[in-house]
Amino acid sequence: MINDIILIDREHVKTPSEEKNVAKNDETKLRIYGCQLIQEAGIILKRKAVTVATAQVLFHRFYFKKSLTDFDVKIIAPSSLYLACKLEEDFCRVYKIISAFYFLYKYEDLRSKHYYYNVKNVKVEHFRIDAESMEYKNMKVEVFTYELLILKEMGFLVHKINQHPHLFLLPYVHSLFNNLNKFDEDLTKKLAQISWGFLNDSMRTTLCCEYQPRCIAVASIFLAAHKLNIPLIRSTNWFALFDVEYEEIKKICIKILQLYKIGRCHYIDVLNKEK
């Protein structure tokens, strides 16, 4: 049985960045930006979904310990992915990770100049960093340094924070719909796929630090069911089957939907911002 993870009371606790006068909206966008980088680098490097999710959790957790003004998103993101590859036994050379992020940074510059951008249709080779350059050597030292710092800030107890809602999704969908004849197999598969998409998107928010994984999984199923016009009626207390409160589902759904209003985020320089 998986134990509950350690949660952060986001509503009543200021983040280190907020304490250093980073606007809440800017912090939200930088967190989304960092998770975008991790997700896109994961696609480029063909890493496992669980590795990407772990990296995003590490990234979010780190910024509940340290401020965005002191540690640049552009180096914490690759450091988080590098550490996640080790934790999930999904080995990837540091050169490949740095190359992927270097590519994303360079391609982002082109995108800002109105060039066509789709990370799935381009290759790292288009912007390969020179392994002998000082830029690469400096990035490698930073990745190694901050990988250890992230691990230290987690208290070396990654098992206490590193459990993902993806683990619960398919068993929960199976429990809810498998024995109901009116829901055919194709519809159930579609529900699972859409729920999985909501889960992946939720990792760009701090939900993974605020709610137990099972709660996020149930909320994602609820959103997917709503999208497919599948009734999940509150009065039936279906969510109680998974030890989840309806109010938790509402709050999680609202936060996921807010993500789509924000859209794609870009880098904001808040380093060394004056108090």
Side-chain angles (χ1 to χ4, degrees), residues 84-95:
C85 287
K86 291 183 177 181
L87 295 175
E88 299 299 341
E89 298 182 353
D90 188 17
F91 180 73
C92 187
R93 289 172 53 213
V94 68
Y95 175 74

Side-chain angles (χ1 to χ4, degrees), residues 152-167:
K152 178 184 174 184
E153 292 300 331
M154 300 304 110
F156 297 91
L157 298 173
V158 290
H159 65 284
K160 292 285 188 179
I161 62 167
N162 195 26
Q163 296 160 13
H164 306 311
H166 304 67
L167 180 65

Side-chain angles (χ1 to χ4, degrees), residues 2 6-7 11 34 42 50 66 88 99 135-136 147 153 170 179 181 187 205 220-221 246 269:
I2 294 179
I6 298 170
L7 299 180
E11 292 183 6
V50 67
K66 299 294 183 181
E88 299 299 341
S99 292
E135 185 176 15
Y136 169 73
E147 171 208 6
E153 292 300 331
L170 294 181
N179 296 321
N181 293 328
L187 185 60
T205 74
S220 296
I221 292 170
Y246 189 76
D269 187 2

Side-chain angles (χ1 to χ4, degrees), residues 12-41:
H12 301 100
V13 176
K14 271 192 171 184
T15 65
S17 300
E18 288 175 328
E19 289 178 350
K20 292 199 172 184
N21 294 333
V22 175
K24 193 171 184 177
N25 190 47
D26 286 347
E27 179 174 1
T28 297
K29 288 181 177 179
L30 277 170
R31 284 178 178 272
I32 294 171
Y33 173 75
C35 288
Q36 284 172 186
L37 290 174
I38 291 169
Q39 190 170 42
E40 291 172 353

Side-chain angles (χ1 to χ4, degrees), residues 19-176:
E19 289 178 350
K20 292 199 172 184
N21 294 333
V22 175
K24 193 171 184 177
N25 190 47
D26 286 347
E27 179 174 1
T28 297
K29 288 181 177 179
L30 277 170
R31 284 178 178 272
I32 294 171
Y33 173 75
C35 288
Q36 284 172 186
L37 290 174
I38 291 169
Q39 190 170 42
E40 291 172 353
I43 292 170
I44 291 169
L45 297 167
K46 299 180 180 178
R47 296 300 94 192
K48 296 185 295 187
V50 67
T51 303
V52 172
T54 295
Q56 290 170 320
V57 170
L58 292 170
F59 177 84
H60 281 304
R61 292 269 177 176
F62 179 79
Y63 283 114
F64 278 114
K65 297 284 188 177
K66 299 294 183 181
S67 172
L68 287 157
T69 61
D70 299 325
F71 297 91
D72 194 354
V73 165
K74 287 187 174 183
I75 196 62
I76 297 301
S79 302
S80 298
L81 184 57
Y82 183 59
L83 177 56
C85 287
K86 291 183 177 181
L87 295 175
E88 299 299 341
E89 298 182 353
D90 188 17
F91 180 73
C92 187
R93 289 172 53 213
V94 68
Y95 175 74
K96 287 188 175 182
I97 289 176
I98 290 174
S99 292
F101 280 89
Y102 178 82
F103 158 75
L104 289 171
Y105 301 148
K106 293 297 182 183
Y107 214 80
E108 185 178 30
D109 290 340
L110 291 181
R111 184 173 175 271
S112 67
K113 297 172 184 175
H114 308 293
Y115 286 84
Y116 176 72
Y117 177 82
N118 187 336
V119 72
K120 293 181 180 179
N121 295 336
V122 290
K123 297 180 180 179
V124 178
E125 286 76 11
H126 294 164
F127 299 99
R128 184 176 291 280
I129 191 169
D130 183 359
E132 299 301 320
S133 68
M134 284 305 300
E135 185 176 15
Y136 169 73
K137 291 176 181 178
N138 289 338
M139 285 185 72
K140 183 169 73 169
V141 169
E142 288 179 320
V143 167
F144 288 155
T145 300
Y146 292 126
E147 171 208 6
L148 293 176
L149 180 60
I150 293 167
L151 198 55
K152 178 184 174 184
E153 292 300 331
M154 300 304 110
F156 297 91
L157 298 173
V158 290
H159 65 284
K160 292 285 188 179
I161 62 167
N162 195 26
Q163 296 160 13
H164 306 311
H166 304 67
L167 180 65
F168 298 86
L169 182 66
L170 294 181
Y172 283 9
V173 170
H174 186 273
S175 298
L176 278 173

Side-chain angles (χ1 to χ4, degrees), residues 248-275:
E248 291 177 315
I249 295 174
K250 280 176 59 179
K251 289 179 180 179
I252 293 169
C253 289
I254 288 170
K255 195 155 188 175
I256 292 174
L257 294 175
Q258 284 174 341
L259 186 66
Y260 303 128
K261 290 183 179 180
I262 296 172
R264 185 176 181 83
C265 292
H266 305 283
Y267 184 70
I268 303 169
D269 187 2
V270 297
L271 290 172
N272 299 319
K273 181 177 282 188
E274 293 294 326
K275 291 185 179 181

